[in-house]
Amino acid sequence: MAFTVKRVYDPPARTDGTRILVDRLWPRGLTKAKAHVDGWLKEIGPSTALRKWFDHDPARWTAFKRRYHAELRANKALVAHLRAFGRKGKVTLLFGAKDTEHNQAVALLSYLRKR
C-alpha cells in the first residue's frame, strides 16, 4: 500500500493516485471542482472534541497522535475502507491545515504504516 500526504490546496499531480480528503470539515475557500478529490472520508478525521483540543498546537502533537490512534483503533471499519483504496494503488491523503508536519493526515499515515 502506497499512502502519501498532501495539502488539498496544492495542485493535483498525476502521481497522486486516488485523492482522499481526510478532514472532518471542508477546507475553507476551496470548491469541490478545484479540490480534485476522489473521495471524502470525513468520519476518519479526529473527533470534534479531539480536533478542538489539539488546535494545531505542536506542543500537543505527541498526545494528539496517541489519542487519534486510539480513535482509529476503535473505528476499524473506516480504516479498512481506506486500506481498500490502498490495495488498488497509490492514495494521497489530503488535508487543509497550514502546518504540514502536525496534522491529522500525517498522524493517520503514521497509523497506517504501523499496522
Side-chain angles (χ1 to χ4, degrees):
M1 286 183 262
F3 288 95
T4 60
V5 297
K6 185 176 189 177
R7 274 192 92 219
V8 70
Y9 297 101
D10 293 341
R14 288 185 180 186
T15 57
D16 288 347
T18 303
R19 294 168 50 89
I20 306 291
L21 180 64
V22 294
D23 283 357
R24 273 202 189 258
L25 305 174
W26 188 262
R28 290 183 182 173
L30 191 63
T31 65
K32 291 186 180 185
K34 286 186 179 181
H36 298 281
V37 298
D38 298 307
W40 181 18
L41 292 179
K42 58 183 165 184
E43 298 85 9
I44 206 161
S47 65
T48 301
L50 180 56
R51 180 178 50 81
K52 288 181 177 182
W53 172 83
F54 175 49
D55 196 31
H56 297 284
D57 181 353
R60 294 181 177 176
W61 176 241
T62 302
F64 169 77
K65 279 194 348 182
R66 186 177 56 251
R67 292 176 184 187
Y68 182 38
H69 287 185
E71 288 184 357
L72 291 169
R73 282 191 300 276
N75 204 344
K76 292 179 182 179
L78 267 177
V79 173
H81 182 65
L82 183 58
R83 286 180 193 268
F85 284 106
R87 283 191 285 279
K88 295 177 187 172
K90 185 172 181 184
V91 175
T92 299
L93 306 173
L94 301 171
F95 63 93
K98 290 180 183 178
D99 186 339
T100 59
E101 295 179 31
H102 306 99
N103 62 69
Q104 77 280 356
V106 172
L108 177 56
L109 179 63
S110 167
Y111 180 84
L112 292 169
R113 288 185 172 163
K114 287 181 180 179
R115 285 162 179 71

